Amino acid sequence: ATPAAPAAPVGNGRTQIAFIPRGDSASWKAVHAGAEKAVQEGRKGPDGHPILDVVWVSPKSGGQADAAKDLIGKGAAAIVIVPQDEKTLTEVLAAAGRVPVVALDTELAANGVRSVIGLDKHKANELAVQKSPDSKNRVKIEGIDISMEDIAKLKSGEIDALIVADPMEVGALAVKTAADCIKEKKVEKR
């Protein structure tokens, strides 16, 4: 395995983790809040400020791959991405080089991703069926971003269960995992 790039502080003296989400819904804002909370609760430098900084890039500010290239060029020590598709993920990994990449809320498997954070949809479905044996096995599993349409289907009985990850926990775990990658610690692949 290729070692991570050195975690050189940039700009404000903090080590930067670039966060490139797939959307800007309330769920993604909660992921952002969880990431920021993890930074605030994390290690502090001699000045009492956090040693990490999350740089959140709006998906509207250009393509994900271009955003990753730009942030890596500016010294980001890790990339957390919610890839739009496999092509984007491949481009980000190519641009990242030795910079560790953590993927969120995806089933995409690409060589070079250090860790994938998200629901194991197969295990979640099995658990839902075990908890509701009388259900007709109509379970909807969403990673982070839940739609009002899914909530309406749950309320109407069209689906029996709706499983969603806690977006604040996902954001916090992403920061902690990226920080461990920067320190070259072993992280869970999934």
Side-chain angles (χ1 to χ4, degrees):
T2 306
V10 292
N12 60 8
R14 298 187 219 168
T15 300
Q16 290 189 345
I17 297 173
F19 220 114
I20 307 170
R22 185 172 50 222
D24 60 0
S25 68
S27 297
W28 292 111
K29 289 175 183 167
V31 170
H32 188 185
E36 290 295 341
K37 182 177 180 202
V39 166
Q40 294 305 315
E41 292 175 351
R43 240 179 78 214
K44 307 281 191 260
D47 62 358
H49 291 95
I51 61 168
L52 294 175
D53 191 19
V54 172
V55 179
W56 190 267
V57 180
S58 168
K60 295 177 183 174
S61 61
Q64 288 183 315
D66 289 340
K69 290 175 194 172
D70 181 54
L71 291 162
I72 290 165
K74 291 178 180 175
I79 301 288
V80 176
I81 186 167
V82 187
Q84 293 171 335
D85 53 42
E86 194 164 2
K87 179 179 182 285
T88 299
L89 183 57
T90 302
E91 289 173 2
V92 169
L93 288 167
R98 294 177 32 201
V99 174
V101 175
V102 174
L104 295 184
D105 196 34
T106 184
E107 296 296 316
L108 298 175
N111 288 334
V113 171
R114 292 283 302 276
S115 184
V116 176
I117 298 171
L119 290 174
D120 180 327
K121 293 183 178 183
H122 179 72
K123 285 183 182 175
N125 189 53
E126 285 178 354
L127 181 61
V129 171
Q130 287 173 4
K131 295 273 185 189
S132 301
D134 296 332
S135 76
K136 296 176 180 78
N137 199 17
R138 296 176 304 181
V139 177
K140 175 85 180 204
I141 301 170
E142 291 292 336
I144 295 169
D145 209 8
I146 187 169
S147 71
M148 295 308 292
E149 180 183 340
D150 288 335
I151 293 170
K153 287 179 180 178
L154 180 64
K155 286 180 177 179
S156 72
E158 191 175 330
I159 58 176
D160 297 316
L162 185 57
I163 300 172
V164 183
D166 179 334
M168 285 194 65
E169 287 296 320
V170 169
L173 183 57
V175 166
K176 291 172 186 173
T177 302
D180 284 347
C181 289
I182 292 167
K183 293 183 243 173
E184 298 186 26
K185 289 185 175 181
K186 184 177 177 158
V187 296
E188 299 266 341
K189 186 69 176 166
R190 179 153 186 84

